[in-house]
């Protein structure tokens, strides 16, 4: 095929979002809408992608930071035809251009491929058929062939009744673009240069405009306000949930899972309701995730079970572990196989060796813990002096009694036992009991004070 360019129109103001964030940067599935459109466009392997951005859109360029995208400024929003004209200097004289919108995030690759195939070197137009077409440009056909698009505000009564609408996505031959765009006039209801007017110009010039209709309306749905954004977010999540189910993941409810990024999985993974996955999450075979867990950039190896309400971020979990309920793994937590992390346990920048257990109410920060260690309830690695952070080293087979404070830097050697309630500030030697707490004292003859009546 001749060279393909993609132009993404993204200069619209998005006033109805009532937001300081430019509309196309609002996230869908955890990613700015525009980034998603660019990612879809890239799958078509075009020679170039040009984004038309608006006045004050520096934030858009700064956020997208994509070296393979070219930027065309449309300082004033004079209409979609004018917007495409701003991209003209970036486009080769030959080949075709596919026009997409930066605020229409869910168009599928398959549909765009169909649209390009229909153009077959010439033009094509993506349409939809709606029960209520109000607000959209209407597709005017003559003996079945598309002959024009009439904008909603310019429709006569007969045209208003047309239910086939323009999605805005179309393929155009570059050789004709400059001529057609210079012929556009803004003498219409909105005083804008309509890109849609090129359809009638093409037909005048003897170029047919075959239509392709989207498989589902959400593929062409745009976002003008937060309600539409929320609706498309649900649609995207449902699409992703269906794909997971089809690929063999068990979901307690496909309507109650959110994936804001990429979820990789092996077989027999099961996920209860209300879980959120962000960034890149990888789940090994047989992993079970309980209700209301949040996992961000996490790898979980085979057979691990995560009980409800656990929160894991930038962490690595080995095979056959048990976490939660209410476990918290912070960045740099690395658990080997068969580790148990119980309720209200926080682990940060620490490694925990195989078979070790930290089951209750504990903070493990900046620590290296060996295998088969038992850390009792309420233990704290005191890693911070207000300025510096220090590491705690715990050997294999160590037993830490409940309520111990391990004041880093400190080492508990292999097989050491720490008596409950100890404040450990120096090395605890291997295979011995170390206790560091005030001796218990009983005061003979002591009497409780009595209330005077
Ligand atoms: C446009 C179409 C209409 C179609 C509808 C589908 C025209 C004239 N009309 O109407 O036929 O049914 O989309 O949603 O094309 N944009 C710019 N610069 C501008 C104006 C718009 O970049 O000067 C961008 C917007 O950011 C948006 C897209 O173009 O991504 C469409 O603009 P919008 O104002 O929503 O067009 P509609 O009037 O809805
Ligand atoms: Mg619109």
């Amino acid at each position: 095929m001749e060279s393909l360019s993609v132009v993404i129109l993204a200069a619209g103001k998005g006033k109805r979002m009532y937001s300081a964030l430019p509309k196309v940067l609002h996230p869908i599935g955890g990613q700015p809408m525009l980034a998603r459109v660019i990612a879809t466009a890239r799958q078509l392997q075009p020679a170039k992608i040009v984004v038309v951005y608006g006045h004050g859109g520096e934030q858009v360029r700064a956020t997208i930071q994509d070296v393979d995208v070219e930027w065309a400024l449309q300082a004033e929003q004079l209409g979609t035809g004018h917007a495409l004209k701003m991209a003209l200097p970036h486009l080769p004289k030959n080949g075709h251009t596919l026009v997409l919108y930066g605020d229409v995030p869910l168009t599928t690759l398959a549909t765009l491929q169909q649209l390009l195939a229909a153009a077959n070197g010439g033009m094509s137009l993506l349409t939809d058929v709606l029960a209520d077409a109000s607000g959209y440009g209407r597709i005017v056909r003559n003996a079945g062939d598309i002959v024009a698009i009439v904008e909603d505000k310019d429709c006569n009564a007969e045209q208003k009744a047309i239910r086939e609408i323009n999605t805005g996505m179309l393929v155009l031959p570059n050789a004709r673009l400059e001529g057609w765009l210079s012929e556009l006039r803004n003498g219409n209801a909105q005083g804008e240069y309509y890109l849609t007017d090129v359809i009638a110009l093409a037909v005048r010039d003897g170029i047919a405009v075959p239509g392709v209709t989207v498989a589902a309306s959400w593929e062409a749905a745009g976002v003008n306000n937060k309600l539409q954004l929320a609706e498309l977010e649900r649609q995207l999540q449902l699409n992703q949930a269906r794909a997971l189910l089809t690929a063999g993941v068990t979901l307690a409810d496909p309507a109650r899972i959110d994936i804001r990024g990429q979820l990789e999985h092996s077989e027999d993974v099961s996920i209860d309701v209300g879980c959120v996955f962000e960034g890149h999450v990888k789940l090994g075979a047989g992993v079970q995730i309980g209700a209301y867990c949040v996992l961000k950039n996490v790898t979980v190896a085979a057979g691990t079970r995560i009980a409800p309400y656990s929160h894991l971020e930038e962490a690595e979990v080995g095979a056959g572990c048990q976490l939660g309920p209410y476990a918290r793994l912070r960045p740099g937590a690395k658990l080997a196989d068969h580790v148990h992390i119980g309720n209200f346990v926080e682990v940060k920048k620490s490694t925990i060796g195989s078979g070790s257990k930290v089951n209750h109410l504990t903070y493990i920060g900046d620590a290296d813990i060996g295998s088969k260690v038992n850390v009792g309830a309420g233990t704290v690695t005191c890693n911070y002096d207000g300025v510096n952070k220090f590491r705690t080293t715990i050997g294999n087979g160590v037993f830490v009694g409940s309520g111990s404070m391990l004041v880093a830097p400190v080492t508990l050697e292999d097989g050491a036992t720490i008596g409950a309630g100890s404040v450990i500030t120096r090395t605890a030697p291997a295979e011995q009991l170390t206790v560091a707490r005030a001796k218990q004292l009983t005061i003979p003859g002591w009497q409780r004070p009595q209330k005077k009546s």
Side-chain angles (χ1 to χ4, degrees):
M1 196 171 65
E2 272 189 282
S3 91
L4 170 70
S5 303
V6 177
V7 174
I8 302 172
L9 304 186
K13 284 198 188 75
K15 260 188 275 178
R16 283 172 284 165
M17 298 296 277
Y18 300 103
S19 170
L21 189 68
K23 177 164 78 174
V24 292
L25 294 185
H26 282 265
I28 182 154
Q31 187 185 28
M33 282 195 279
L34 178 56
R36 200 168 184 90
V37 177
I38 292 172
T40 307
R42 181 149 295 137
Q43 287 181 275
L44 295 165
Q45 297 177 308
K48 61 168 68 192
I49 298 176
V50 182
V51 177
V52 180
Y53 71 109
H55 190 62
E58 288 311 318
Q59 199 183 344
V60 176
R61 290 186 65 162
T63 305
I64 298 296
Q65 283 199 347
D66 187 324
V67 287
D68 293 330
V69 162
E70 294 178 29
W71 297 89
L73 175 67
Q74 186 195 25
E76 252 188 305
Q77 278 71 69
L78 302 179
T80 49
H82 178 259
L84 184 58
K85 203 171 180 177
M86 299 300 105
L88 260 189
H90 295 264
L91 300 176
K93 296 284 168 239
N94 291 299
H96 337 41
T97 294
L98 166 66
V99 177
L100 303 176
Y101 288 176
D103 55 4
V104 178
L106 299 189
T107 320
T108 62
L109 180 65
T111 291
L112 295 179
Q113 282 167 334
Q114 236 184 304
L115 186 65
L116 286 165
N120 190 28
M123 273 182 83
S124 62
L125 181 66
L126 191 64
T127 74
D128 192 9
V129 178
L130 299 177
D132 176 8
S134 58
Y136 293 95
R138 306 299 206 284
I139 307 295
V140 181
R141 288 181 183 261
N142 187 357
D145 295 330
I146 295 176
V147 292
I149 298 174
V150 184
E151 289 306 298
D152 186 62
K153 290 189 173 120
D154 302 291
C155 280
N156 60 33
E158 195 189 332
Q159 290 162 338
K160 281 253 186 213
I162 299 172
R163 290 172 46 222
E164 188 183 15
I165 62 106
N166 171 35
T167 65
M169 288 172 260
L170 76 168
V171 178
L172 298 149
N174 291 10
R176 301 284 187 153
L177 271 184
E178 197 165 354
W180 287 342
L181 292 177
S182 65
E183 279 192 67
L184 298 181
R185 296 291 172 266
N186 64 355
N188 49 52
Q190 303 184 79
E192 286 182 7
Y193 296 93
Y194 292 162
L195 179 55
T196 45
D197 285 348
V198 301
I199 303 299
L201 297 176
V203 171
R204 178 202 68 191
D205 292 347
I207 297 175
V209 186
V212 169
T213 306
V214 289
S217 288
W218 50 258
E219 281 202 65
V223 170
N224 295 303
N225 57 38
K226 298 266 172 91
L227 175 63
Q228 291 168 339
L229 181 60
E231 284 167 352
L232 285 192
E233 177 74 38
R234 283 305 100 209
Q235 185 63 55
L236 169 63
Q237 294 303 340
L238 198 55
N239 295 351
Q240 293 180 151
R242 284 175 176 156
L244 287 176
L245 287 164
T246 308
V249 175
T250 300
L251 300 180
D253 181 356
R256 284 185 287 170
I257 178 171
D258 285 83
I259 300 156
R260 303 177 191 145
Q262 204 196 340
L263 179 58
E264 248 188 275
H265 60 84
S266 299
E267 67 272 15
D268 293 316
V269 165
S270 89
I271 300 170
D272 209 338
V273 298
C275 292
V276 178
F277 299 89
E278 295 178 62
H280 189 170
V281 174
K282 201 173 160 185
L283 305 178
V287 166
Q288 295 179 21
I289 313 273
Y292 303 104
C293 289
V294 177
L295 278 71
K296 180 177 184 179
N297 296 324
V298 168
T299 303
V300 183
T304 286
R305 283 159 52 190
I306 303 178
Y309 298 102
S310 294
H311 188 280
L312 284 63
E313 184 177 357
E314 320 272 346
E316 276 173 46
V317 180
C321 293
Q322 284 185 38
L323 274 65
Y326 300 100
R328 178 159 186 223
L329 300 189
R330 289 174 51 206
K334 284 188 190 162
L335 312 186
D337 297 343
H338 305 291
V339 168
H340 291 194
I341 299 292
N343 43 204
F344 307 107
V345 171
E346 174 181 347
V347 181
K348 182 216 80 168
K349 236 192 214 176
S350 296
T351 57
I352 300 186
S354 64
S356 290
K357 297 177 181 175
V358 189
N359 273 331
H360 328 268
L361 300 158
T362 288
Y363 175 59
I364 301 293
D366 304 306
D368 296 296
I369 298 181
S371 58
K372 297 246 160 61
V373 168
N374 195 316
V375 177
T379 295
V380 175
T381 53
C382 309
N383 59 329
Y384 186 50
D385 65 7
V387 179
N388 309 292
K389 297 246 167 78
F390 300 98
R391 292 197 80 81
T392 298
T393 306
I394 300 179
N396 299 324
V398 169
F399 182 98
V400 181
S402 296
S404 292
M405 300 293 119
L406 310 177
V407 183
V410 72
T411 299
L412 315 185
E413 293 179 349
D414 287 353
T417 299
I418 305 298
S422 290
V423 177
I424 301 294
T425 56
R426 284 178 286 133
T427 299
E431 310 295 342
Q432 295 184 58
L433 170 65
T434 299
V435 188
R437 60 179 183 232
K439 271 227 161 71
Q440 187 165 323
L441 197 66
T442 303
I443 313 281
W446 180 84
Q447 302 234 309
R448 275 193 207 170
Q450 300 290 318
K451 268 190 184 157
K452 289 178 188 129
S453 52

